[in-house]
């Protein structure tokens, strides 16, 4: 399935703001509780970071597990991947690809990190990336989703003319239903309105493969 025009324009925006975004978003521990909950006590776990962006979660992963030998970051923005490499993290594996057809074998990853990964994917297109996430997740694996909570889909203007991105909003019921339909078992959904400095609500969901 080809990516949409809205997604292409959003990628262009990320290419334009990649380095300035990396410098501005310096708090690598933003998602620390969720990454710890996802991975638990597993040492050096196999983890796919979908929409890895400028490598903020890669830096967090390395701080927790000491190396990145079982970490893979995937993004479609060349600018963001270049910015991630500026972090000069050890053994950083980065892949340029979209989420509609992941370039990995079935059951490759024990954990999949999908934080703000699908917030630009139109709802009409959501089945394909969810199917790919399920396919590449191991039978005993777990995935974490962070979505923008709300209703509808719209363009969001940033601080510069080049920073214009397409945003998709989900209610808890709506997104959990999409996960269930696509073969996931939902765990611990919640809406967080406290951590984002802008006051934006995030829908946080852990999920496993349904039996």
């Amino acid at each position: 399935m080809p990516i949409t025009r809205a997604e292409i324009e959003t990628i262009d925006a990320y290419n334009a703001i990649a380095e300035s975004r990396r410098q501005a978003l310096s708090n690598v521990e933003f998602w620390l509780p969720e990454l710890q909950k996802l991975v638990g006590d597993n040492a050096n776990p196999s983890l796919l970071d979908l929409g890895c962006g400028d490598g903020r979660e890669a830096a967090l992963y390395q701080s927790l597990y000491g190396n990145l030998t079982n970490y893979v970051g995937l993004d479609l923005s060349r600018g963001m991947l270049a910015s991630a490499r500026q972090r000069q993290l050890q053994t950083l594996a980065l892949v340029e690809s979209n989420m509609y057809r992941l370039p990995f074998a079935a059951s490759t990853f024990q954990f999949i990190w999908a934080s703000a990964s699908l917030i630009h994917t139109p709802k009409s297109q959501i089945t394909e990336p969810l199917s790919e996430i399920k396919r590449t997740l191991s039978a005993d694996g777990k995935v974490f989703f962070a979505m923008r909570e709300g209703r509808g889909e719209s363009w969001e203007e940033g601080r510069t003319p080049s920073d214009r991105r397409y945003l998709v909003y989900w209610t808890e019921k709506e997104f959990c239903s999409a996960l269930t339909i696509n073969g996931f078992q939902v765990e611990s959904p919640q809406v967080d309105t406290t951590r984002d400095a802008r006051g934006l609500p995030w829908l946080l969901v852990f999920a496993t493969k349904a039996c």
Side-chain angles (χ1 to χ4, degrees):
M1 177 182 294
I3 61 175
T4 65
R5 170 54 58 182
E7 291 171 294
I8 291 172
E9 293 183 16
T10 298
I11 292 164
D12 290 341
Y14 277 119
N15 286 333
I17 66 171
E19 185 57 21
S20 62
R21 181 179 172 85
R22 181 179 66 85
Q23 295 177 16
L25 299 179
S26 58
N27 179 15
V28 299
E29 295 189 351
F30 188 88
W31 295 112
L32 176 60
E34 285 71 30
L35 185 57
Q36 290 177 318
K37 181 176 180 178
L38 177 70
V39 176
D41 295 329
N42 291 276
N44 195 20
S46 61
L47 183 143
L48 172 62
D49 184 357
L50 282 177
C52 64
D54 62 21
R56 184 166 63 164
E57 275 69 54
L60 177 57
Y61 179 103
Q62 181 171 273
S63 72
L64 292 175
Y65 302 106
N67 60 65
L68 291 159
T69 55
N70 287 325
Y71 167 97
V72 177
L74 180 144
D75 207 287
L76 194 53
S77 166
R78 292 184 179 181
M80 295 297 275
L81 292 175
S83 186
R85 294 187 182 96
Q86 291 300 312
R87 293 185 184 273
Q88 299 182 343
L89 300 172
Q90 297 178 2
T91 61
L92 181 60
L94 298 174
V95 177
E96 182 183 339
S97 181
N98 67 54
M99 291 177 281
Y100 290 116
R101 182 168 293 181
L102 296 176
F104 309 110
S107 304
T108 296
F109 299 99
Q110 186 178 4
F111 302 104
I112 295 181
W113 181 260
S115 172
S117 308
L118 300 174
I119 63 174
H120 307 298
T121 303
K123 293 180 183 179
S124 61
Q125 308 278 96
I126 197 67
T127 293
E128 192 67 23
L130 289 181
S131 296
E132 284 292 276
I133 290 171
K134 180 185 176 186
R135 181 183 66 81
T136 54
L137 185 67
S138 65
D140 61 345
K142 182 177 289 189
V143 56
F144 169 72
F145 298 94
M147 309 295 291
R148 289 285 290 270
E149 196 275 338
R151 298 179 183 276
E153 308 178 24
S154 63
W155 287 96
E156 181 180 90
E157 303 293 337
R159 296 181 179 179
T160 65
S162 59
D163 186 9
R164 180 174 182 264
R165 288 169 280 166
Y166 191 75
L167 271 296
V168 180
Y169 304 87
W170 295 81
T171 66
E172 179 179 323
K173 180 179 180 180
E174 186 180 25
F175 187 64
C176 289
S177 176
L179 290 177
T180 301
I181 290 171
N182 285 283
F184 290 94
Q185 181 173 321
V186 176
E187 300 179 1
S188 310
Q190 64 170 312
V191 176
D192 186 304
T193 60
T194 62
R195 108 178 54 189
D196 196 304
R198 299 165 295 176
L200 300 174
W202 286 93
L203 173 60
L204 312 180
V205 183
F206 291 88
T208 57
K209 284 185 176 182
C211 298

